[in-house]
Amino acid sequence: MTRHASLEGFDLIGDVHGCGATLASLLEKLGYHQRGGVYRHPRRRAIFLGDLIDRGPRIRLAVNIVRRMVEEGEAEIVMGNHEYNALAYCQRAPSRLGREWLREHTPRHNRIIKETLEQYRDHPAEWDDALAWFREIPLVLELPGLRVVHACWDQPLIDALRREHPDGRIDQTFLEASVEHGTLASQVMDRLTRGTHIPLPEGVTIHSGDGFTRRSFRAHFWAREPRTWGDVVFQPDNLPGDLESRLLTDRERGYLSHYGPEEPPLFIGHYWCEGIPALPAPNVACLDYSAVKFGRLVAYRWSGESRLNADHFVWVRVPQEEAARPRPWEIDFD
């Protein structure tokens, strides 16, 4: 493992979603260069916020770049909901659950993982190896001065996770329990990798830009005393009608997490923001800017500051060419 004698800070990188060529461009823009097949920086390390896979055209390239960096000590990573989904999708369920797979192979689930399975189709051993690596990825990172989680920092659930899994990594028992409603494992996985969702009223749906129809909206967790749905909504899709002014119920408020302004800087992905990267709170940075939808692949250059600075965002636009099918030599790691 590489040791950094004079580490200046971390470069936190948002959801890649198979945009492997753009990831290479961003790393080079940040001053990382390949040596021995691994992107390295002389004074900094990278932290990836999960969701390396699904949707994009160069998934194997993205996974291999990040995995090599992690294994060489040049980067760290937290698990995203798409890595978790892949683990459950590809794992047969115990008979007591009454279904074949931990994550059922519904049309929606099939569609989400379709590109990943197609790109690994001729490399089954590599896919099995990638799945084994996904299971080694922790759900949270807490380093001196900063915290990292894919979707939501919920301290009570993180404390409960660490009592059973001090390193934040899941095992087979946890994975199986995570698909059973009401278990601690299901609460941990849902909140930390997917965040908080508030159901929409009966008969109301959101037709998202990614082609999915949703019956709930994603809520953030840093409003001190939220009153309305508009105070906590955190996604590009607008709420239908006048729902932003709808008052939160006591139950909804009780379900929300809260990350206070006195907490250390927190880095999250997951929420497919749009536009120029900005800080939603002085100590919170979201780094998912819809790379796979020709948005931006975004990094934040953190050098120890307790109050984040929007000038520290670095990004590259995802070019239309990234949608082209990868040529074999671009992703062949066999």
Side-chain angles (χ1 to χ4, degrees):
M1 179 179 292
T2 300
R3 295 284 185 250
H4 294 256
S6 56
L7 186 67
E8 291 180 353
F10 294 96
D11 298 313
L12 298 107
I13 298 175
D15 306 31
V16 178
H17 277 307
C19 295
T22 303
L23 173 59
S25 297
L26 177 61
L27 287 167
E28 289 166 5
K29 185 172 184 177
L30 291 167
Y32 292 76
H33 300 288
Q34 279 206 61
R35 295 200 320 274
V38 179
Y39 280 94
R40 308 174 191 270
H41 193 288
R43 297 174 302 280
R44 303 184 67 85
R45 294 172 67 202
I47 300 177
F48 294 92
L49 274 65
D51 280 7
L52 304 179
I53 64 170
D54 295 341
R55 297 180 176 149
R58 294 172 173 85
I59 295 166
R60 291 177 60 221
L61 177 61
V63 170
N64 277 280
I65 287 174
V66 175
R67 182 176 178 182
R68 289 180 177 186
M69 291 181 70
V70 171
E71 291 180 343
E72 288 291 315
E74 301 294 338
E76 300 200 45
I77 184 173
V78 295
M79 185 184 293
N81 57 301
H82 283 256
E83 285 79 37
Y84 165 64
N85 290 346
L87 286 169
Y89 185 95
C90 296
Q91 177 71 51
R92 292 192 179 275
S95 58
R96 61 183 168 78
L97 294 182
R99 57 178 186 253
E100 186 174 0
W101 305 94
L102 289 181
R103 180 172 170 86
E104 295 179 283
H105 290 191
T106 64
R108 178 188 176 91
H109 295 167
N110 294 343
R111 176 183 168 186
I112 290 171
I113 202 171
K114 176 176 181 288
E115 285 292 334
T116 297
L117 296 182
E118 285 186 356
Q119 290 176 42
Y120 278 97
R121 180 181 56 204
D122 297 330
H123 310 274
E126 185 182 333
W127 177 235
D128 288 343
D129 198 38
L131 288 170
W133 179 63
F134 292 166
R135 192 172 294 196
E136 298 174 6
I137 296 174
L139 293 175
V140 295
L141 285 175
E142 190 161 13
L143 303 173
L146 81 161
R147 292 169 172 169
V148 187
V149 69
H150 182 66
C152 177
W153 190 276
D154 185 305
Q155 193 65 58
L157 284 177
I158 291 170
D159 290 342
L161 167 69
R162 285 172 170 162
R163 282 194 290 270
E164 295 185 12
H165 302 273
D167 60 1
R169 292 171 169 83
I170 68 174
D171 57 18
Q172 180 65 23
T173 300
F174 189 98
L175 181 63
E176 291 180 4
S178 71
V179 302
E180 297 185 71
H181 182 72
T183 62
L184 173 63
S186 71
Q187 295 174 51
V188 167
M189 294 304 301
D190 195 56
R191 182 61 63 95
L192 272 55
T193 70
R194 296 191 181 103
T196 303
H197 293 75
I198 294 181
L200 294 166
E202 186 70 28
V204 177
T205 58
I206 295 174
H207 300 286
S208 298
D210 59 3
F212 287 100
T213 297
R214 292 181 165 86
R215 294 174 175 80
S216 63
F217 69 89
R218 292 175 174 180
H220 70 69
F221 50 92
W222 46 83
R224 183 181 292 277
E225 295 179 352
R227 295 184 61 255
T228 67
W229 282 14
D231 290 337
V232 296
V233 64
F234 193 58
Q235 58 184 40
D237 301 312
N238 294 324
L239 291 178
D242 60 354
L243 288 180
E244 287 212 1
S245 61
R246 181 175 174 128
L247 294 176
L248 287 159
T249 66
D250 290 341
R251 181 177 180 180
E252 288 167 346
R253 265 196 301 271
Y255 183 60
L256 294 170
S257 304
H258 180 245
Y259 197 80
E262 74 286 352
E263 302 285 353
L266 173 67
F267 296 89
I268 57 174
H270 187 62
Y271 294 94
W272 32 278
C273 300
E274 294 179 342
I276 300 297
L279 295 168
N283 61 335
V284 178
C286 180
L287 301 179
D288 180 7
Y289 274 79
S290 308
V292 78
K293 294 191 288 182
F294 309 118
R296 295 168 170 84
L297 185 57
V298 175
Y300 183 96
R301 308 212 82 171
W302 184 80
S303 300
E305 64 270 21
S306 58
R307 186 178 180 88
L308 301 179
N309 184 341
D311 291 339
H312 295 183
F313 285 115
V314 179
W315 64 84
V316 292
R317 296 297 300 261
V318 180
Q320 292 290 330
E321 304 86 75
E322 182 82 357
R325 278 287 176 186
R327 293 180 287 273
W329 58 83
E330 291 181 301
I331 60 173
D332 192 357
F333 285 87
D334 294 341

